[in-house]
Amino acid sequence: MTDHGKIPDQESIPRSVLRNIKSIRQWREERRAKRSRSDKVADAISQFAGSMRFVYIHLVVFGGWILANVGLIPGIPRWDPSLVVLAMAASVEAIFLSTFVLINQNQMTEEAEEKAELDLQVSLLTEQETTRLMVMTQAIVDHLGIKTGTGFDLEDLVQETQPEVILDAVAKGAPGEE
């Protein structure tokens, strides 16, 4: 019985998988290193703003501000009794935080698009290799005179995939679909 919570030993992971893990990590690190200083700052701010530490700081600051300005903390003068300054500060903070979050989301979208491009390229390569294997296997079957009894049309499967044609068909909708 295997323990699914246990991290496998590196010896039990195939070398090709370890190589792929290393390549992906290296790609990620190189990509992060190439980001501009402002992108790194925006990322750090977004990371901090998305933490419980940020929430706790705001609870203390905003809570204290409100309690002091509604007169619930004795000995502290009310400097913003209508809480207008607090509302303005919170609004300005929200504007900047939303901008940092959008910058961070744009970075994540760009990375996701690059990964999707990689997935597409690998899928197309795999499809081409599979098609070649099918053609070679069929040639061997034909040469040896083996009856396969397959009920599908091999001609459809061995046609080379044309991504641009498929993308156009997807964009227009399947024939008969309305």
Side-chain angles (χ1 to χ4, degrees):
M1 190 167 190
T2 61
D3 182 6
H4 294 290
K6 186 178 178 183
I7 298 173
D9 295 328
Q10 287 211 354
E11 293 82 34
S12 65
I13 300 173
R15 277 182 276 153
S16 59
V17 173
L18 290 172
R19 186 186 72 237
N20 290 342
I21 291 170
K22 182 180 178 184
S23 295
I24 291 168
R25 283 186 181 159
Q26 182 178 353
W27 171 80
R28 215 177 257 143
E29 288 171 13
E30 287 173 0
R31 190 178 191 295
R32 285 187 181 131
K34 290 179 184 176
R35 290 189 329 206
S36 69
R37 179 178 290 216
S38 59
D39 284 342
K40 291 176 184 177
V41 168
D43 186 44
I45 291 170
S46 294
Q47 291 290 334
F48 175 66
S51 71
M52 286 307 294
R53 184 182 216 186
F54 184 80
V55 172
Y56 297 143
I57 290 170
H58 278 71
L59 282 173
V60 170
V61 171
F62 286 119
W65 187 301
I66 292 167
L67 292 174
N69 284 289
V70 295
L72 294 177
I73 302 178
I76 296 183
R78 297 168 66 181
W79 68 90
D80 185 20
S82 64
L83 302 176
V84 171
V85 176
L86 176 65
M88 182 189 66
S91 296
V92 170
E93 179 186 49
I95 290 168
F96 280 102
L97 285 177
S98 61
T99 302
F100 290 126
V101 168
L102 288 171
I103 290 168
N104 190 265
Q105 286 180 334
N106 286 340
Q107 292 171 355
M108 290 169 50
T109 298
E110 189 176 307
E111 187 173 324
E113 288 173 354
E114 289 175 5
K115 288 178 185 175
E117 173 73 17
L118 174 63
D119 286 345
L120 176 60
Q121 294 299 331
V122 169
S123 293
L124 289 171
L125 180 60
T126 301
E127 186 276 333
Q128 291 169 349
E129 292 168 347
T130 302
T131 299
R132 286 188 182 111
L133 285 171
M134 290 176 64
V135 168
M136 290 188 311
T137 303
Q138 186 61 46
I140 292 168
V141 165
D142 291 345
H143 178 75
L144 296 176
I146 299 172
K147 302 282 184 203
T148 61
T150 56
F152 58 86
D153 190 4
L154 185 63
E155 294 300 317
D156 284 345
L157 296 176
V158 297
Q159 286 184 14
E160 189 171 319
T161 299
Q162 298 174 348
E164 65 281 357
V165 172
I166 295 171
L167 287 169
D168 286 344
V170 169
K172 293 175 185 171
E177 185 181 279
E178 295 182 31

